[in-house]
Amino acid sequence: GGTNARMTIDSTGAVTMPSQPAFQTRVASEQQNLAINNLVRVNFNSEVFDQNADFNTSTNTFTAPVTGRYFLAMNLVLNAPDAAAGFYQFHIRTSNRAHTQTNTIAGSTDPSYWTFNYNVLADMDAGDTAYIDFYQNIGSAQTDVRAIESTFSGYLAC
């Protein structure tokens, strides 16, 4: 095994890189009655881990410390989604582009909850940012982002 300032290789050959950008955050308290016809930033304001201190819980934003390809993933659990909504859009929004997923709620009655997952491999330059926002085009402003189960995570892939 060996060590340097950037990584450790143990006797089994396992490599750890304690300064490698990696984070997982979650919504600490339910974000209620999301507005319709407006982009709403999701409040990922509680860190599960933030290996290189690159996530800002005040702005709900990840900032890339170095240029590279970042794997970014969101898992949103929505309470009381509106079946009358024409569609829901979720964006993993980076400085370079908005990575968009569009979904509809199946059925004609409002479900208790609905889960949306989306991930991308995003090209980011040092200083670029990433965050999650939400858009509902019609219906009622009744949808809530469930706390604890809703997460945003990412890491430098290459």
Side-chain angles (χ1 to χ4, degrees), residues 39 41 61-62 67-70 72 90-101 118-125 127-133 152:
L39 290 173
R41 188 175 294 202
T61 303
F62 168 73
T67 297
R69 307 298 182 264
Y70 289 81
L72 302 171
F90 306 93
H91 306 103
I92 297 177
R93 195 172 298 276
T94 64
S95 297
N96 296 332
R97 66 190 46 87
H99 307 273
T100 304
Q101 179 187 51
Y118 187 50
N119 55 64
V120 298
L121 186 62
D123 60 319
M124 297 180 76
D125 296 323
D128 282 356
T129 59
Y131 60 90
I132 306 295
D133 62 24
F152 177 32

Side-chain angles (χ1 to χ4, degrees), residues 23-94:
F23 70 94
Q24 183 181 51
T25 61
R26 63 184 185 179
V27 174
S29 58
E30 188 169 81
Q31 191 173 347
Q32 297 182 332
N33 301 322
L34 301 179
I36 61 169
N37 296 314
N38 287 299
L39 290 173
V40 177
R41 188 175 294 202
V42 179
N43 295 330
F44 291 101
N45 51 9
S46 177
E47 293 176 339
V48 177
F49 62 86
D50 185 3
Q51 191 161 287
N52 198 46
D54 300 309
F55 195 90
N56 183 328
T57 55
S58 297
T59 62
N60 311 297
T61 303
F62 168 73
T63 302
V66 298
T67 297
R69 307 298 182 264
Y70 289 81
F71 181 82
L72 302 171
M74 61 150 238
N75 178 62
L76 288 182
V77 181
L78 302 182
N79 286 338
D82 189 359
F87 62 85
Y88 285 97
Q89 280 188 335
F90 306 93
H91 306 103
I92 297 177
R93 195 172 298 276
T94 64

Side-chain angles (χ1 to χ4, degrees), residues 102-124:
T102 303
N103 294 77
T104 57
I105 302 297
S108 58
T109 58
D110 294 350
S112 298
Y113 66 93
W114 207 267
T115 301
F116 299 92
N117 299 288
Y118 187 50
N119 55 64
V120 298
L121 186 62
D123 60 319
M124 297 180 76

